[in-house]
Amino acid sequence: RAKEIKTKLGTLLQKPDSTIDFIIPYPEKPEKPPKAQKPSPEEALQWRDSLEKLLQNPYGLTSFRSFLRSEFSEENAEFWVACEDYKKTKSPVKMAEKAKKIYEEFIQTEAPKEVNIDHFTKAVTMKNLVEPSPTSFDMAQKRIFALMEKDSLPRFVRSEFYHELIK
């Protein structure tokens, strides 16, 4: 697998720049992501008691992810967001594609962003993926939510990231 990636990279690197420009279309104007509205200190204060409110607020989610990145544990929030996106997927084909991607990225052993779930939860999740449904990742997502709630959220609330928001 690594050799395959090296070969592909080597091939790409040997091509002249004009070919790369041809392969990768550049957008006319770089799109700016919509600015998330900074919450009021009162709103941010509510996050101390509710991970759910924090994750549902775009600014809160971004701040929390930045904090987790600084602690090298961003995969938990990324997994949670991926599951939320997955649950909104209507097309069975798209659902199967997303399920496979989430599994490969977060669940399988040695996954690049492997989340810390117990063997039972991993087994149930794998069994659910035989026929992907909107609830396939529910158990794993609940475990990761609980982990963030009891572990990451208290550290976030004590962090500089959070104290800047409630000033």
Side-chain angles (χ1 to χ4, degrees):
R1 179 111 176 106
K3 265 188 182 169
E4 189 182 309
I5 294 169
K6 264 187 181 168
T7 308
K8 283 181 180 173
L9 263 177
T11 311
L12 264 179
L13 294 174
Q14 288 169 359
K15 293 195 172 157
D17 289 347
S18 58
T19 313
I20 292 174
D21 286 345
F22 186 73
I23 297 170
I24 306 166
Y26 293 99
E28 297 306 307
K29 276 189 216 137
E31 285 184 45
K32 283 190 177 155
K35 279 252 190 278
Q37 192 66 47
K38 187 174 181 188
S40 66
E42 295 75 35
E43 195 179 350
L45 277 168
Q46 295 178 351
W47 299 343
R48 286 190 300 200
D49 308 314
S50 174
L51 178 60
E52 199 149 336
K53 281 183 181 167
L54 168 65
L55 295 174
Q56 284 168 355
N57 180 295
Y59 198 95
L61 177 61
T62 303
S63 301
F64 189 56
R65 284 176 77 167
S66 296
F67 168 73
L68 292 175
R69 197 174 304 122
S70 76
E71 289 202 326
F72 304 101
S73 63
E74 189 189 12
E75 69 283 348
N76 291 336
E78 284 184 25
F79 173 69
W80 188 87
V81 168
C83 290
E84 287 300 292
D85 173 61
Y86 171 81
K87 286 191 261 190
K88 294 175 192 149
T89 307
K90 299 284 181 255
S91 150
V93 174
K94 280 259 184 273
M95 186 172 277
E97 286 171 7
K98 286 182 179 182
K100 182 179 189 292
K101 189 172 187 273
I102 292 171
Y103 173 77
E104 289 173 352
E105 197 171 345
F106 300 102
I107 305 288
Q108 76 181 9
T109 307
E110 303 291 320
K113 298 175 181 179
E114 188 176 356
V115 290
N116 187 4
I117 53 173
D118 58 276
H119 291 293
F120 177 73
T121 303
K122 191 178 273 198
V124 168
T125 303
M126 286 164 66
K127 191 168 154 275
N128 290 345
L129 293 178
V130 174
E131 286 182 40
S133 77
T135 60
S136 293
F137 292 102
D138 282 6
M139 183 185 237
Q141 188 183 19
K142 282 185 178 92
R143 293 273 193 278
I144 292 303
F145 183 90
L147 184 73
M148 290 191 298
E149 196 170 41
K150 79 176 199 341
D151 193 43
S152 306
L153 183 62
R155 286 199 313 275
F156 175 67
V157 167
R158 292 191 301 267
S159 75
E160 201 50 49
F161 285 89
Y162 184 72
H163 287 275
E164 284 301 310
L165 292 172
I166 56 173
K167 277 183 181 171

